[in-house]
Amino acid sequence: MKSTVLSENKVSGARWLVFGRDPEKPEKIIDTNQYLIATRNQAMLLDPGGIEIFPAMLSAVIHHTPLENITHIFASHQDPDIISSLGLWDRTLPQAKLHCPWLWEGFVRHFGCDNVEFVPIPDEGSTMKLDGLTLQFVPAHYLHSSANFHVYDPESKILMSGDIGAALEKGDVPMFVEDFEAHTAHMRYFHQRWMPSNKAKNAWIKRVRALEIDIMAPQHGRLFQGDDVVRFLDWLEALDVGIALDDEAQAEAA
Amino acid sequence: MEITVSKQKTGDDFYVAAVTIAATLDKVIPVAENISLGAMNTMALTARAEQSARGFRPITDFMQELANDVRRLTGDVNRVALEVSRTSLSEVRAAQSRDKVAEGQKRAGKAEYAASVRQPLAGLEREVQSLRDRLREYLYTLTSLLDEIDQRILAAISFATVARTEAASLGTSGGQFDAMAVDLNNSAEQVRSMVASCRTLLRAHQTASN
Ligand SMILES: [Fe+2]
Ligand SMILES: [Fe+2]
C-alpha cells in the first residue's frame, strides 16, 4: 500500500498522510484512501477501511507512527469500506477512541468494538484535540450516509471529505487530480447515484465554501488541491444528484 | 523481532457443530416426555393389578427418575453447547485477528515502528490460547454430559429387559406391562442413537481441530 505525506507542519509537528492504491487489494473491492493525522505524541486514523485491507494498512501505518500513539479513530459513516476493520483495530489499539456519528453506534458496533471507546459525534458536529491541534468534525449528512461527517484541519487547511469528491478509476492512478475537466467523467455517476439529496448537497457546499481549503481529500480516488477545490464545489453545485429517483419517476410515467 | 504465532489449527466450525448438537438433543425432550407418560400409565396399571404387579413399582420409579434426568441433562447439554459455540466463535475471531495482525507485521518488514506491533500481537496470541483452553474444558464437560445420558440409557435398557421378564411372569394379564417395557426399550434406543450421532459430530470436529 502506498503512503504519501500530504502536509507537514514544521512548527507543530502535525502531519497528514494518505494510504491507498494497494496493488494486492482483491480486484472486486473498491479502492479506498485511508488517512492518518499524526502530531507529536498522538495520531488519528481517518476512515481506516475494510477488513480485507487491514494487514496492508497496519503494515503501512507502522512505517510512520508507533501503534501506541494512535489514540483516535474517525469513521465518517457506517459503510463497510469505511470501518469494517474496526474489530481488528479494536484488538490492536485497545486504548483508542472511535469518533463516529452518534446515529450509527448500534450499527458500527456489529463490526466489533469491545475495547475501543465509542465517542458519538452529535448531528451539529464537534471538535477534538490531537495534542495541540484542533480538528473539526464538519456535518455532511445525507452525503451519502444519513449521518456523516468530514474532518477539517484549519492549520493544514485540509478537508477530508469522505465519499464526496470520490472517483471510480481503475489502476494505479496519480494521487492528485491533474486535469479537472477530464476527471469529472470519473466522478459524475458516483455523485449522481450515491448522493441522494440536492438539498443536502447544497447545504454542504455552502458550509464548505466558508472554509479555507488547500487540499480536499476524498475516500476514493484522487485528491484535489488549489483551484481544483473550488472547481469541484462549482461542478457539484451544478450537478443533479439522486438520479435513481428520477429513473423511477420516468418508469412510472411511461 | 517477530512473535511466533501458533500454527495449530483452530476450533474451526465448532460453533456450528455445537448448536447442531444442541438441536439434535432437543429432540430427546419429547422422548423423555414419552417415558414419563409410560411411567404414569404403568403406575396406574400396577395399582389396578395390585399384589401381582408389585415388581413393577421400582421400575416405574426408575422410569420417572430417568425421564427427569434426561430432561435435566438435555438442558445442561444445551447450555454447555451454547458456551462451546460462543467460545469457539470467539476463538476463531481472535485467531483471525491475530493472523491479520501477524500478516501486517510481516508485510511491514523492517518498518520503523514494527516493534509496536509486538505487544498487541502477543496479547492476541494469549487470548487465542486462553479461549482454546476454555473451549477444551467446555468440550470435556459436553462429552461427560453425553456419557452421563448414555449411562442412564444403558440402565433403562436393562430395566426394560427386567420388566419384560416380570411381565411374562404375569401370564396373560402381563400384555400391557410388556407393551410398556417394549416402549421403554424403544425410547431408550432412540435416545441412544441421538447421543451417538452427537458424539460422532463432536469427534469429527475434535480430530479436525487436533
Ligand atoms: Fe460510503
Ligand atoms: Fe466509500
Side-chain angles (χ1 to χ4, degrees), chain B residues 67-83:
Chain B
N68 289 338
D69 284 352
V70 168
R71 268 190 292 247
R72 175 179 55 79
L73 288 165
T74 308
D76 289 349
V77 166
N78 248 306
R79 269 186 297 279
V80 178
L82 195 63
E83 288 307 325

Side-chain angles (χ1 to χ4, degrees), chain A residues 18-62:
Chain A
V18 57
F19 302 91
R21 317 286 194 271
D22 181 15
E24 286 168 51
K25 172 187 74 65
E27 203 207 328
K28 289 205 170 167
I29 285 177
I30 188 167
D31 191 38
T32 48
N33 299 326
Q34 289 70 235
Y35 296 92
L36 178 87
I37 309 173
T39 50
R40 288 201 198 288
N41 305 303
Q42 289 189 293
M44 174 158 80
L45 283 171
L46 284 72
D47 288 353
I51 292 176
E52 288 291 335
I53 63 153
F54 173 84
M57 190 50 196
L58 177 69
S59 79
V61 161
I62 54 178

